[in-house]
Structure formats: structure tokens, C-alpha cells
Amino acid sequence: MLLDGKGTALKIRTELKTETAALLAVRGRAPGLAVILAGDDPASRIYVRNKRLACEEAGFRSETFEKPPSVSQKELEYLVDELNARTDIDGILLQLPLFAHLDSRPLLQRIDPAKDVDGFHPQNMGRLALGLPGPRPCTPAGVMALLRHYGLSPHGKRAVVVGRSNIVGKPLALMLGADAPEANATVTICHSRTPNLREECLRADFLFLALGRPKAVGADMVKEGAVVVDVGISRTERGLCGDCDFEAVLPKAGAITPVPGGVGPMTIAMLLVNTLNAYKASLPNP
Ligand code: GUN
């Protein structure tokens, strides 16, 4: 089974658009997202553009703040302060990675946790770890939503997450292992220092790949019938490519996400969900 993230994301975005139009008619204000781009990763520019287009399509207002390489840490602090104070901005997203001379950590901590639509603020990561409600990081939230959409429950199953980043691996492992009906997996986190990656992966009923290394995982690392969710996306000479060797793994997997068209579109849909939630929470009489 092919897990169609593009189609699933479109369905979520369509529902969200209808809800946004109804809220706009009553409240007289659209949800607003501010995106800060202060980095030179070429992929970031594409992500930011896609986020802006998705916002506009859903009926949100979006503002992009693109900064030159000369931007200072202080300038970004002031910008975050200004956006925190603005009542027409519900969500603030600091696109990562930043220019090398900048430090993302104090900036992420400076974002008002109520406007933290990436769920990267320590308070919101803490809420995730404690099982409290709050905005969840978009990529792992998108993975969970995609599984839910296809009725693939990791409950009681062995889940292996390859990658331990703060953006994907760590929060995804917390979500999969949460005490919740749609979670309750037994989770193993693997990383670059895991001695027997192949053996670990072979035990997975649900295998989540977030290494960022093209075709690093072959069919010999996948259990027959496993659900394979490929979060990696790399640009190669032969186009975009995930962390697994898709053609080789496809016949072995019970279900698999394509790259592109798998997890990526779900990330954007979850950003819209988080922004709409922040907007609804900011209204006087929700
Ligand atoms: N860089 C790669 N993925 C993401 C993401 O989900 N959010 C932000 N802010 N930066 C990213």
C-alpha cells in the first residue's frame, strides 16, 4: 500500500479552508502566520515558499521576513519580540537552519509559546514529553496523522525511529510511545552511533526513517510487511530521494510513503492546523 501524503494533506487543507472561511466571516480577521527566513539552505527557500502558498490557499494571511546574511542575532530578537506583540499574527515560524553565525536556541525560546506553531519551544517540547496538550512539531504530527488516515495503528507494535533530531526523531519517538489509543508503540530510537542498525530495523513493525541520507536503507533492513515511513528528502542527480531505496523496499513493505509526496505535504498541512489552533485560542469567545 502506498501512503499518499499529498492526497491526505489536500483533504485536511480543504477542510481547514472551509473552517477558516466560516471563522473569518464571524470574527472579521484571518489567521496570520509570520515566517522568518535567515539562512542560506536552498531547500529552506522552497519550504518557505510552499508554506506561504499553502497559507494563502487556506485563506490565512502570511508574511515572510527574509533576512540577508548580515542579519544579527539582536535584530532577529527584536523581530521576534515585535511579532510576539502583534495581535494579527497567530503563528511565528523560524525556518531552520539559520546562518552559521546565528544561534537558533535563544530565538526559539523567545517565541511566545502560544504562537509557536512549530512546537519547538522548550515549554511545548516539555508538554509533549509530559503528554499535555500543545502544538506539536509539524513533521512528526504529519506522520501520525498519515498513519491515522490509513488506519495503521502502532498500538502494541514495535516502532523503530532512525534519527534523533529535535525536529523529527525525538518528538516522533515521544508521540509513538505516548499513552494514547493511536500511539502506545514500543519505541526504539536509533542514530549514527547505533552498532547494529540493520538488526534494529529488521525488528520494526513500523520503521521511521529520518537520517537525511539518500537510499541508506535497503530491502535487507526491512521486515516483511512492515510499515515504512520515509521522512528523509535529499536532492540527488536523479531527482529527490528519500532515506530508503524505494524500488527495492516497495515489494517487501506492507505500506510505504513515497518521496516526494509522502511526509512533506503532511508537514505543511500540520503547520496550517497549528496556526489555526493558535488563532482559535487567541479569540475572546472561542
Ligand atoms: N527545517 C526543516 N524542517 C523544518 C520545520 O519543520 N520547521 C522549521 N522551522 N524549520 C525546518
Side-chain angles (χ1 to χ4, degrees):
M1 176 166 54
L2 205 60
L3 306 177
D4 174 16
K6 201 172 164 187
T8 309
L10 192 64
K11 186 171 167 281
I12 295 169
R13 283 169 58 173
T14 306
E15 289 164 5
L16 218 117
K17 187 174 177 170
T18 309
E19 189 181 354
T20 302
L23 284 165
L24 173 63
V26 177
R27 310 286 179 174
R29 177 176 86 76
L33 175 70
V35 178
I36 304 170
L37 176 57
D40 48 15
D41 180 1
S44 285
R45 183 156 283 112
I46 298 166
Y47 295 151
V48 165
R49 177 176 164 272
N50 289 342
K51 287 169 184 177
R52 180 173 55 74
L53 294 174
C55 274
E56 287 165 6
E57 210 274 324
F60 294 10
R61 273 189 340 93
S62 103
E63 284 183 43
T64 303
F65 298 84
E66 187 171 345
K67 297 294 175 186
S70 59
V71 69
S72 68
Q73 185 84 15
K74 268 270 167 293
E75 261 178 88
L76 289 179
E77 286 175 7
Y78 292 143
L79 176 57
V80 169
D81 290 348
E82 188 187 314
L83 295 169
N84 280 340
R86 274 177 58 178
T87 54
D88 60 332
I89 293 293
D90 303 289
I92 304 168
L93 184 147
L94 181 67
Q95 186 66 33
L96 303 175
L98 300 179
F99 293 119
H101 69 281
L102 298 169
D103 185 359
S104 63
R105 228 176 333 172
L107 291 166
L108 292 173
Q109 288 195 35
R110 209 173 177 97
I111 293 173
D112 178 350
K115 297 191 177 189
D116 172 33
V117 287
D118 254 332
F120 293 165
H121 190 285
Q123 186 175 308
N124 289 324
M125 288 291 255
R127 296 185 72 85
L128 167 61
L130 294 171
L132 298 171
R136 301 297 194 231
C138 300
T139 300
V143 169
M144 298 303 287
L146 189 60
L147 294 180
R148 213 176 311 126
H149 179 79
Y150 281 94
L152 296 167
S153 171
H155 181 107
K157 299 289 169 62
R158 207 179 277 279
V160 172
V161 178
V162 188
R164 58 179 160 183
S165 72
N166 291 335
I167 291 181
V168 183
K170 223 180 279 179
L172 179 57
L174 285 168
M175 285 183 208
L176 288 163
D179 183 359
E182 72 278 12
N184 282 325
T186 301
V187 184
T188 302
I189 307 178
C190 299
H191 45 75
S192 52
R193 304 286 196 276
T194 298
N196 287 311
L197 183 61
R198 185 172 163 271
E199 280 73 43
E200 297 292 349
C201 289
L202 272 171
R203 285 150 59 92
D205 303 308
F206 283 70
L207 181 59
F208 301 90
L209 303 172
L211 306 81
R213 285 200 3 241
K215 298 198 180 185
V217 172
D220 63 322
M221 294 171 78
V222 177
K223 179 165 136 180
E224 193 76 43
V227 175
V228 180
V229 177
D230 194 342
V231 185
I233 186 157
S234 308
R235 194 168 291 280
T236 68
E237 287 155 18
R238 295 174 56 205
L240 294 174
C241 165
D243 285 346
C244 85
D245 184 343
F246 182 81
E247 282 75 27
V249 171
L250 181 64
K252 209 159 180 202
I256 187 168
T257 57
V259 175
V263 175
M266 293 299 292
T267 296
I268 295 196
M270 293 302 113
L271 172 64
L272 298 180
V273 169
N274 284 348
T275 306
L276 188 63
N277 284 340
Y279 163 83
K280 288 199 277 192
S282 78
L283 297 172
N285 295 306

